[in-house]
Amino acid sequence: DAKTTQPNSMESNEEEPVHLPCNHSTISGTDYIHWYRQLPSQGPEYVIHGLTSNVNNRMASLAIAEDRKSSTLILHRATLRDAAVYYCILRGQGGSEKLVFGKGTKLTVNP
Amino acid sequence: NAGVTQTPKFRILKIGQSMTLQCTQDMNHNYMYWYRQDPGMGLKLIYYSVGAGITDKGEVPNGYNVSRSTTEDFPLRLELAAPSQTSVYFCASSQTGHLNTGELFFGEGSRLTVL
């Protein structure tokens, strides 16, 4: 199973942009990059996913490197509600459904 | 819209007892998963299922059993509870087509303590 590597923790100030990196150097050509976040005492929730092109939705943007070996989740204006653990995982197309989460990045947002 | 429902939300077990964590989804998803999360740690995959009648082991399957007799239900059974199984358990489901782009929907979790 392709693995991802994320920093253990990051800090940001409210109203500022946040860039959360993820390395996935062993990604295969058909793997989708998914991001989830887990608010305190809750189950994880979907944030965004992409394959090759950058993606935007109401929650965040996903920037994918040209070689696809890394990606960055972008929160354009962090709020206190964005304080959570963010997970980057790879999801194969037509392959294993053994979806493995790493330790994720704990984001702290300062007022 | 119920989504993924887990019961019970909390349970205390004695060492050696058995119990079943229930998970039901009403979205007609074909894929279902069980994860555990120890304090301050990430999620570990216990078992998963790609459809009724099909289950497979995840990263940490020892001490657990699952079944998938219907699309909706994916119960997780602990046969001989041990303190090491104290954790929060999350059930999730997803629907995927050939592109495997489906998002995971998680339940609210079941907090299990084994004393």
Side-chain angles (χ1 to χ4, degrees):
Chain A
D1 302 313
K3 290 188 176 180
T4 62
T5 304
Q6 300 176 253
N8 289 335
S9 62
M10 291 185 67
E11 229 174 290
S12 172
N13 296 320
E14 208 174 2
E15 304 288 313
E16 290 183 355
V18 181
H19 291 233
L20 297 164
C22 181
N23 288 320
H24 28 79
S25 58
T26 59
I27 190 171
S28 76
T30 54
D31 283 343
Y32 281 79
I33 302 157
H34 283 240
W35 283 82
Y36 289 79
R37 73 178 187 181
Q38 187 176 21
L39 302 172
S41 301
Q42 294 188 27
E45 63 176 350
Y46 168 83
V47 177
I48 200 167
H49 76 272
L51 183 62
T52 56
S53 304
N54 294 345
V55 184
N56 300 297
N57 67 19
R58 64 175 179 81
M59 290 180 71
S61 295
L62 177 59
I64 300 172
E66 201 169 325
D67 63 6
R68 299 204 337 119
K69 293 185 177 182
S70 66
S71 61
T72 302
L73 179 71
I74 303 167
L75 307 179
H76 295 285
R77 290 180 66 199
T79 68
L80 296 178
R81 260 194 46 93
D82 291 322
V85 178
Y86 287 80
Y87 298 97
C88 164
I89 67 171
L90 302 180
R91 182 151 203 184
Q93 180 187 89
S96 172
E97 285 298 325
K98 194 172 177 179
L99 297 181
V100 175
F101 283 71
K103 293 182 180 177
T105 297
K106 183 175 182 179
L107 175 66
T108 300
V109 181
N110 300 313
Chain B
N1 191 3
V4 178
T5 303
Q6 293 182 231
T7 57
K9 286 187 169 47
F10 302 93
R11 182 73 186 268
I12 297 175
L13 279 181
K14 293 182 179 177
I15 294 172
Q17 285 186 319
S18 301
M19 76 158 298
T20 300
L21 297 176
Q22 302 290 346
C23 177
T24 299
Q25 52 93 8
D26 62 359
M27 297 172 282
N28 201 32
H29 286 172
N30 48 355
Y31 297 97
M32 295 188 74
Y33 313 81
W34 273 107
Y35 291 89
R36 62 174 284 175
Q37 186 172 37
D38 298 335
M41 305 297 285
L43 289 90
K44 295 283 189 184
L45 180 63
I46 305 171
Y47 271 96
Y48 65 100
S49 169
V50 299
I54 305 169
T55 63
D56 210 345
K57 295 178 180 179
E59 303 171 88
V60 290
N62 292 342
Y64 306 94
N65 280 301
V66 293
S67 60
R68 185 92 182 273
S69 56
T70 67
T71 299
E72 296 77 19
D73 301 307
F74 191 41
L76 177 72
R77 178 129 182 108
L78 286 71
E79 290 294 347
L80 290 170
S84 61
Q85 293 178 304
T86 294
S87 191
V88 179
Y89 292 82
F90 289 102
C91 179
S93 72
S94 74
Q95 180 67 303
T96 60
H98 69 285
L99 292 179
N100 273 350
T101 59
E103 67 180 89
L104 291 169
F105 292 82
F106 282 84
E108 293 183 348
S110 297
R111 185 177 296 274
L112 176 66
T113 301
V114 182
L115 300 175

